[in-house]
Amino acid sequence: MDMRLLVGRNVKRIRTARGLTQEELAERSGFSQQYLSDLERGRRNPTIVSLWELAQALGATPVDLITPDDHAD
Amino acid sequence: MDMRLLVGRNVKRIRTARGLTQEELAERSGFSQQYLSDLERGRRNPTIVSLWELAQALGATPVDLITPDDHAD
């Protein structure tokens, strides 16, 4: 299972479900919009502390961000 | 919640439940015994890919390693 792709899909799914743009999530999380764009495309390898910060900014939990979705093999 | 401390507690709990020493887990995971010792004391900030590798070596899932335990605030 590619964790980078999985986290990217989960962040994008939750962000859009919350009606947030990447810019708004960038503002809330302190990460740059470019970082978030890369992350959502599975091109980043965040640490567990970054995972927690992202979850907080999304109003989700770190577990939410690494829970396998239908695409995860 | 301090993710480093949480992951450290979870890795130690699962490792000992599996009857593995740090050396044996080091051999299985490819991480050094020193890294694992630091990690279990909450002094490492692993990436999500490292989390997956640790979970594989423990026969657990990444979610298992970041699921809050009784100590997590």
Side-chain angles (χ1 to χ4, degrees), chain A residues 1 3 9 17 20 28-29 40-41 51-52 55 60 70-72:
Chain A
M1 178 163 52
M3 292 293 282
R9 288 194 304 268
L20 293 171
R28 286 187 181 201
S29 64
E40 290 189 358
R41 286 178 293 143
L51 199 69
W52 187 81
D70 309 335
H71 305 275

Side-chain angles (χ1 to χ4, degrees), chain A residues 13-33:
Chain A
R13 178 173 46 78
I14 296 169
R15 173 176 64 76
T16 48
R18 302 276 198 271
L20 293 171
T21 63
Q22 283 183 351
E23 287 73 17
E24 287 164 337
L25 180 57
E27 242 167 73
R28 286 187 181 201
S29 64
F31 293 103
S32 71
Q33 185 272 326

Side-chain angles (χ1 to χ4, degrees), chain B residues 13-69:
Chain B
R13 177 173 46 78
I14 296 169
R15 174 177 64 76
T16 48
R18 301 275 198 274
L20 293 172
T21 63
Q22 282 182 352
E23 289 72 17
E24 287 164 336
L25 180 56
E27 240 170 73
R28 287 188 180 199
S29 64
F31 293 102
S32 71
Q33 186 270 326
Q34 183 59 56
Y35 177 90
L36 294 171
S37 172
D38 290 345
L39 180 110
E40 289 189 0
R41 287 177 293 144
R43 296 190 180 150
R44 293 287 178 167
N45 184 18
T47 66
I48 53 174
V49 171
S50 295
L51 199 70
W52 185 81
E53 289 165 351
L54 281 164
Q56 291 289 111
L58 284 166
T61 68
V63 169
D64 293 332
L65 301 190
I66 66 163
T67 296
D69 58 6

Side-chain angles (χ1 to χ4, degrees), chain A residues 1-4 7 44-52 62-64 66-68, chain B residues 1-4 7 44-52 62-64 66-68:
Chain A
M1 178 163 52
D2 187 316
M3 292 293 282
R4 287 163 297 196
V7 167
R44 292 287 177 166
N45 185 18
T47 66
I48 53 173
V49 171
S50 296
L51 199 69
W52 187 81
V63 168
D64 293 333
I66 66 163
T67 296
Chain B
M1 178 164 49
D2 186 318
M3 293 292 285
R4 287 165 297 200
V7 168
R44 293 287 178 167
N45 184 18
T47 66
I48 53 174
V49 171
S50 295
L51 199 70
W52 185 81
V63 169
D64 293 332
I66 66 163
T67 296

